[in-house]
Amino acid sequence: MKKKPPTSNPQHPTSNVSRPTLVSGIQPSGRLHLGNYLGALKNFVDLQNSDKYDCYFFIADLHSLTESASGRINPKEKSKQILGLTADFIAAGLDPLASALAIAERGRVWGSLGLIVAAHTSLGCGPLHLAGTPEQQQRYLVPMASGRVIGGYGLTESGAGSDAGGTRTTARHEDGPDGGTWVIDGSKRFITNAGQAGTYIVTARTGDKDDGSAEISAFILPADTPGFSVGRLEDKLGLHASATGELLLDGCRVPAANLLGAKGEGFRTFLKVLDGGRISIGALAVGLAQAALDAAVPYAQTREQFGRPIGSFQGVAFMIADMATEIEAARSLVWKAAWLKDKGRDFGLAAAEAKLFASEVSSRATNAAIQVHGGYGYVTDYPVERYFRDAKLTEIGEGTSQIQRLVIARRILGLRIV
């Protein structure tokens, strides 16, 4: 008698098949052993046998199926639970690798949650950590790092995507007490955590350079700033529980003290921020790819056709082999980039390579997982179709795959490639 396909998510802890660990025994930091990283992660989601793991799969499936705004996570209501691990990491003195591990493990269960945390830590907290004054960090970064406030980063515009230097949002300075104020006008598009963040970092043109190019500066923008509002919230292919939307800035006045870094240094700052963000997106891609493999392996072992498990056919077995090999390689690249960042070494090239490879591996792995599942992979009874939809974002966010190739080629060749 032929076995029926599994009716529950095969990557749940209830499966008899052991799930491969996301970590491969690397110990890159002298501060804490890798086991301590995973110990912290297990406080959020027990990866071995907790009902909480099943619970997050269930919640993720519900949010994935909900197309309306009511289906999005509200981090302002659940910020402690969602972002509390960020505070744990900072308090424990952990490093970029620990952050990447946290994002990957979240992404392995729920891509939307992984993206919320990635945007909050890398894009929200990152600029303040990189360029903020002690006063700015105390006022804005501390609440964000503790999980009390969500962060967002307003860089992309309708006409300034890959060409981030084409920013049209403007900021003009007006004299007054305490250094005067900056008045910001414009809009931002495709902003993660839009409408949920309490603090945004936004970029704006503050003048022109001698060569005629735009002078871009960065500003700290609290969500309650008069003139600030959230416009359209996007209906996306995947990552439905993560809010992505438009920021509208109509005469937003912020004090001079909210200029982040020196005037005109915003472009340089966001390039550094994007380098770190690429590690986060690479980690999210690794998590999604691992989730796809976790689902495909037990399915291939238990689903029978022609009187034998489909995993015993080379056509399926070799897909599994390719998935496992590419995921391990992607994981190593991402971990290496995080390690270089932790050591204070130049990690820009490694981050671009890791993000490029991991994101494309994630798309291939999630597509292969659907193929292993056959017709069952195409329906929402199984999670692999969600992994596939979620993974596509990793080839776009923090710079498309084409932009990553430009970055890599320019660094290696030393030529201006267009």
Side-chain angles (χ1 to χ4, degrees), residues 16-59:
N16 291 327
V17 180
S18 61
R19 298 188 315 282
T21 178
L22 192 65
V23 182
S24 301
I26 308 170
Q27 185 183 328
S29 172
R31 286 178 287 186
L32 286 173
H33 293 289
L34 202 55
N36 296 117
Y37 297 164
L38 291 181
L41 289 174
K42 287 179 183 179
N43 291 331
F44 179 74
V45 176
D46 188 331
L47 299 181
Q48 301 302 320
N49 54 18
S50 171
D51 291 339
K52 193 182 293 185
Y53 194 78
D54 284 327
C55 176
Y56 277 106
F57 268 109
F58 175 72
I59 296 172

Side-chain angles (χ1 to χ4, degrees), residues 21 36 72-73 90 131 164 197 213-214 297 331 371 396:
T21 178
N36 296 117
R72 298 187 179 96
I73 303 173
I90 292 174
S213 62
V297 168
R331 179 184 295 117
Q371 198 69 20
I396 300 171

Side-chain angles (χ1 to χ4, degrees), residues 154-171:
L155 171 65
T156 302
E157 300 180 4
S158 295
S162 296
D163 180 18
T167 296
R168 292 292 176 263
T169 296
T170 62

